[in-house]
Amino acid sequence: MQLAAQSAESIEMARIPAGSFTMGADEATLAPAVVNGLGVMSTRPAHGDFDESPAHKVTIAHAFSIATHLITVKEFQEFDPSYKGVSAYPDYAAGISYEHAVAFCAWLTKKTGKPYRLPTEAEWEYAERAGTQTPFFTDDTPPAQGEKNAWGVTMGEGTPEWVADWYGPYEAGSQTDPTGPLHGYFRVVRGGGLDFRKSKPGEMYPAMAPYFMRSANRASMAPSYESKDGNIGFRVVQAPMPAEHSSQPFHYFFWTDVKQTPAGAAEGPDPAKPFYRTHELFPNLNGKSMPDVGWSAGLARGLGINYHNSAIQVLANGDVVAAYYNTPNKEDDPDQTVMVMRRGAGAEDWDMPEPWPYFADAACAAPVFWNDHGRLWLFFGFPRLIGAPPFAFTTSNDNGATWSPIQFPHFTAPIGRYVSQPINSIVRTKDGTINIPTDSTGRDADGNGSISAVWATHDDGKTWYDTGGRTAGRHTTIVMAKNGDILGFGGKNSAIDGRMPLATSADGGKTWVKSKTPFDPLESGERPSVIRLASGRLFFVADYNPNHEKHIHKDGAYVALSDDDGKTWKQKRLTANILTVGYVTATEGPDGVIHIATSKNTVNYEVELNEAWVLSDSEDKTPEPTAIAHTEKHRELWPNGRLKAEWSAGRANDGEILLEGPQAFYFEDGRKQWTVQFHLGKKVGDETFYRADGTKEWVKSYGTNNEWTWRNFDGAGRQTSESRWRGKTLASADLAKTK
């Protein structure tokens, strides 16, 4: 398709009449050619993605005019002469951020005296369908390139475009001129997909697969995302913005009811006595379907069954947070997300995981948490996003209750090759520079093709640069040496004399000197982790792999301590239930307890241990606590002076500070939000979570032998599901039928 150059003042527009339509995906089964193959990693759902339901009636109350095509390069250059265009997408202004698109609309409004803006999501789908309710306005097959619908508009041909709404779940029931949530982290993208796995001239799959071209399909992206190689464009609407008809705000439990008081966070088990304990991380559905059973039982929609690539961090308030990638089935699926979870300070069990950040149709992965003196950073990458930068990041100053807008690195100079996959370590040098490694492509000076890059910022993330050199392995984990050097340990698929490599940089990452460690080299599915402990020692954790085998996780894992920056090590095997630690990450809390997050293990655990356990000859686990003393009550208030939270905690006989007795959180208006009872850090009795209107959202009832029941309720108080669990494992479920 080749568009004729036009003046921005004479953008061709089509008049769209007022009317009603059904928005979203209905129950009709999609044709096999729509849901299968074409570079998509997993088979697509039979009816459409979960975020396209429930289908609901929408009325567009007023006629409006919409551009018949995406804004062209020439049209955009009238606004921004510096824009160069993307060679892969010459027919429209691609790689544009949402913020830049909105600025274009403001410029055009001022230039013409007419109100221009982005279409709402409802307007976009209404105009694209042009009176149809089939998967495409051309029935069951996608439109040809440049084909116009019955209203004279070219839409839904595989080219993604920004719309005005924040991304969030649909609400049931009829709506008039909906405008989406009031707030969010992602803006809706319509018209095509965002990821690629294979490409040839004129094609990028799965981005241009028919599934992502459907009228109902929704993608999303952080509004600041722009890329010289990106594929997101936009079109304009000429009409006043509809009156606000926003949907209800959506909050993950991970953000909700987060304490800010660090009560007892620095107190813990006696550091002179060995301490070792494990906590199971993930739900196990016993082979049941996650969409059909897990989501209906109360697990967050969008949660999948394949979790890998760990992150873990202890926060200023004593909570432990973890993150993994989460995918419906296979790695790099466009529905892959980062998954976050929390174990509150003093609690012995992890909350259920939730998918966030959630970029619809854009796989994200490789999360890294970093506690920067109380400021929490979350880094992650995009393994298949068209035009992806090396990483993205967001920060929180309140222990993960709220987050800054998602940002992408601004580089002040050209950068080298990379893979958009952060590793597991962030370090700050003595001069304040932050360093983060990611995977890289290419080869180092020795011809090694398994390497990592290190990126740095002197100004706390405002600008970034490529340090220049490349390490001696893929998935290199870094730590600062006592003399200021950067030490880069290992990575997979690389070795020196049959041993894991160490790369040392004395010039901030510009050059690296290689040497060998005493550790086994790692292969696919494995990654080491190294941290500097408060004692000054280095702590190391990785897999044994004596036979250099790929994807065979059976030889166990080990931890190690070094007093001399890695010259010598005291090494110790982890317990027999840890067959592998996989893509592992370690961190240390202020109480001296080290936390390890495993992946690729038969059951994935958070492992807690201390230096005394590593140095001892015992492999015993620490017995569960049996008594608690010195219980103290704590309270937090809302800014308006109302009670926000109240709880009690004390010291158990194993030295841990554990929750004991009732805990409650309240909304700002004084209504209860969450009530639960604890004994020795474990939940007992009924745990109840309430909506803002006072209705129960769910109740979890805890019995003996680690057995509990989970009941969910709708807004009218009707029970929608009941499931029975033993620990993290589903035993049985009675579920209402939901899509």
Side-chain angles (χ1 to χ4, degrees):
M1 177 180 66
Q2 186 66 45
L3 296 174
Q6 296 177 318
S7 167
E9 292 189 50
S10 59
I11 296 171
E12 183 182 350
M13 309 289 286
R15 190 67 174 167
I16 308 300
S20 299
F21 74 112
T22 299
M23 186 172 183
D26 57 26
E27 294 292 334
T29 299
L30 298 169
V34 176
V35 298
N36 295 333
L38 297 170
V40 178
M41 292 299 296
S42 302
T43 300
R44 298 293 89 195
H47 309 290
D49 289 324
F50 75 89
D51 64 352
E52 300 163 14
S53 66
H56 51 287
K57 181 181 179 181
V58 168
T59 297
I60 303 298
H62 304 284
F64 61 94
S65 296
I66 192 168
T68 62
H69 59 270
L70 290 166
I71 295 301
T72 66
V73 172
K74 184 172 180 60
E75 288 166 348
F76 194 76
Q77 285 174 335
E78 290 189 46
F79 160 68
D80 181 1
S82 68
Y83 176 71
K84 302 299 183 185
V86 179
S87 59
Y89 313 102
D91 299 325
Y92 68 98
I96 304 297
S97 71
Y98 172 92
E99 295 159 350
H100 221 170
V102 169
F104 175 91
C105 294
W107 166 82
L108 189 58
T109 296
K110 184 176 181 180
K111 183 179 179 69
T112 64
K114 300 174 182 177
Y116 283 92
R117 56 176 174 81
L118 296 178
T120 67
E121 185 177 15
E123 289 172 340
W124 189 96
E125 186 171 331
Y126 177 63
E128 197 272 350
R129 287 185 178 276
T132 66
Q133 288 297 152
T134 48
F136 312 94
F137 69 77
T138 44
D139 199 21
D140 284 330
T141 57
Q145 195 75 8
E147 183 174 355
K148 292 186 175 182
N149 64 20
W151 289 346
V153 185
T154 301
M155 301 175 81
E157 55 179 350
T159 47
E161 51 187 287
W162 296 108
V163 296
D165 300 29
W166 288 109
Y167 177 81
Y170 283 156
E171 292 184 348
S174 299
Q175 300 165 44
T176 299
D177 293 332
T179 55
L182 278 176
H183 307 288
Y185 291 94
F186 322 102
R187 294 286 181 176
V188 177
V189 174
R190 288 301 202 108
L194 304 175
D195 278 6
F196 79 100
R197 189 171 182 85
K198 59 182 181 180
S199 63
K200 60 183 180 179
E203 296 181 349
M204 288 285 256
Y205 288 118
M208 297 179 69
Y211 186 85
F212 301 111
M213 298 166 66
R214 294 174 301 112
S215 301
N217 190 72
R218 310 175 75 201
S220 63
M221 181 49 60
S224 62
Y225 180 60
E226 62 182 353
S227 171
K228 65 181 179 58
D229 300 311
N231 68 334
I232 305 178
F234 70 101
R235 74 181 65 230
V236 296
V237 158
Q238 198 260 293
M241 188 68 181
E244 182 185 299
H245 295 97
S246 58
S247 55
Q248 293 297 313
F250 180 78
H251 294 284
Y252 286 109
F253 191 72
F254 179 80
W255 304 332
T256 306
D257 296 342
V258 178
K259 300 166 187 168
Q260 302 303 321
T261 304
E267 302 176 58
D270 185 347
K273 297 179 180 179
F275 181 84
Y276 184 99
R277 183 161 298 148
T278 60
H279 302 274
E280 194 169 340
L281 288 167
F282 304 135
N284 176 3
L285 297 185
N286 264 332
K288 300 291 193 303
S289 163
M290 180 60 77
D292 295 336
V293 176
W295 298 352
S296 297
L299 295 173
R301 300 210 310 173
L303 190 66
I305 59 172
N306 185 4
Y307 320 128
H308 186 29
N309 203 331
S310 69
I312 193 166
Q313 195 67 218
V314 181
L315 307 188
N317 66 351
D319 289 359
V320 188
V321 294
Y324 288 75
Y325 79 50
N326 152 72
T327 189
N329 184 7
K330 298 179 181 178
E331 184 177 352
D332 293 351
D333 186 285
D335 286 342
Q336 179 176 293
T337 75
V338 167
M339 177 184 75
V340 290
M341 49 203 301
R342 183 186 297 268
R343 183 166 70 83
E348 292 281 60
D349 294 316
W350 283 88
D351 297 334
M352 290 298 189
E354 297 168 295
W356 188 84
Y358 195 101
F359 292 80
D361 294 350
C364 57
V368 186
F369 276 127
W370 180 46
N371 184 352
D372 182 23
H373 303 289
R375 185 185 191 194
L376 180 62
W377 296 65
L378 172 59
F379 292 86
F380 54 93
F382 297 88
R384 301 293 176 187
L385 176 66
I386 295 171
F391 55 86
F393 62 98
T394 177
T395 61
S396 174
N397 293 317
D398 54 12
N399 297 290
T402 61
W403 294 84
S404 68
I406 290 168
Q407 302 173 63
F408 302 91
H410 171 62
F411 291 105
T412 54
I415 62 176
R417 299 174 70 174
Y418 62 88
V419 175
S420 184
Q421 181 163 317
I423 308 172
N424 57 6
S425 44
I426 316 293
V427 297
R428 190 187 283 275
T429 63
K430 291 180 180 179
D431 68 359
T433 301
I434 298 171
N435 293 268
I436 174 174
T438 73
D439 287 352
S440 182
T441 60
R443 295 183 180 275
D444 65 13
D446 294 340
N448 175 32
S450 179
I451 55 178
S452 300
V454 178
W455 314 93
T457 174
H458 291 312
D459 51 18
D460 282 348
K462 295 182 179 66
T463 60
W464 294 82
Y465 62 94
D466 185 344
T467 58
R470 294 297 184 264
T471 70
R474 188 175 172 93
H475 309 336
T476 297
T477 182
I478 64 173
V479 70
M480 297 305 300
K482 292 177 181 178
N483 67 357
D485 291 352
I486 303 175
L487 305 178
F489 285 84
K492 69 177 184 180
N493 303 333
S494 58
I496 298 176
D497 297 334
R499 299 286 84 195
M500 181 188 297
L502 168 66
T504 302
S505 178
D507 54 12
K510 293 178 183 177
T511 59
W512 297 85
V513 177
K514 299 179 184 179
S515 59
K516 64 182 179 181
T517 71
F519 305 127
D520 289 347
L522 299 182
E523 300 293 341
S524 296
E526 300 171 326
R527 178 187 71 187
S529 182
V530 63
I531 57 173
R532 175 77 64 183
L533 300 177
S535 67
R537 293 184 173 116
L538 291 184
F539 175 83
F540 191 83
V541 55
D543 280 341
Y544 289 113
N545 194 343
N547 299 314
H548 305 177
E549 296 174 287
K550 292 185 177 182
H551 297 294
I552 300 178
H553 308 299
K554 62 179 177 57
D555 294 309
Y558 62 90
V559 293
L561 291 173
S562 176
D563 288 300
D564 53 15
D565 269 5
K567 294 180 178 66
T568 60
W569 294 90
K570 160 65 176 176
Q571 195 169 341
K572 184 175 182 179
R573 179 179 290 271
L574 290 173
T575 52
N577 61 318
I578 310 296
L579 297 178
T580 176
V581 290
Y583 277 31
V584 67
T585 305
T587 192
E588 183 185 28
D591 59 358
V593 174
I594 300 163
H595 304 257
I596 300 168
T598 75
S599 73
K600 294 291 184 182
N601 204 39
T602 304
V603 174
N604 280 300
Y605 295 102
E606 173 210 3
V607 180
E608 290 186 292
L609 53 81
N610 62 6
E611 292 174 79
W613 186 87
V614 181
L615 295 170
S616 75
D617 294 328
S618 171
E619 293 186 3
D620 293 340
K621 295 182 179 180
T622 304
E624 296 285 337
T626 57
I628 195 165
H630 307 297
T631 302
E632 295 183 3
K633 293 184 177 180
H634 304 275
R635 304 170 85 237
E636 286 185 4
L637 303 179
W638 287 105
N640 63 12
R642 288 184 180 270
L643 182 63
K644 178 181 181 181
E646 53 187 348
W647 71 97
S648 299
R651 182 178 289 276
N653 61 318
D654 65 353
E656 293 183 284
I657 303 299
L658 298 176
L659 294 168
E660 181 72 15
Q663 173 176 283
F665 278 80
Y666 301 87
F667 290 104
E668 286 190 80
D669 64 3
R671 295 188 185 189
K672 286 184 178 179
Q673 184 174 24
W674 181 29
T675 60
V676 61
Q677 186 90 8
F678 284 93
H679 177 54
L680 291 169
K682 293 184 178 291
K683 296 170 182 176
V684 296
D686 284 350
E687 176 186 10
T688 306
F689 194 71
Y690 299 88
R691 299 180 181 88
D693 63 4
T695 59
K696 293 179 182 178
E697 186 166 338
W698 50 256
V699 176
K700 298 178 180 179
S701 300
Y702 300 92
T704 57
N705 299 320
N706 208 21
E707 294 178 349
W708 57 283
T709 301
W710 190 356
R711 291 173 291 146
N712 288 272
F713 302 87
D714 64 19
R718 294 182 294 263
Q719 183 172 312
T720 58
S721 69
E722 180 174 311
S723 54
R724 287 158 290 281
W725 301 72
R726 186 177 180 88
K728 285 285 193 292
T729 300
L730 177 68
S732 62
D734 301 318
L735 308 172
K737 182 181 180 182
T738 59
K739 185 179 175 184

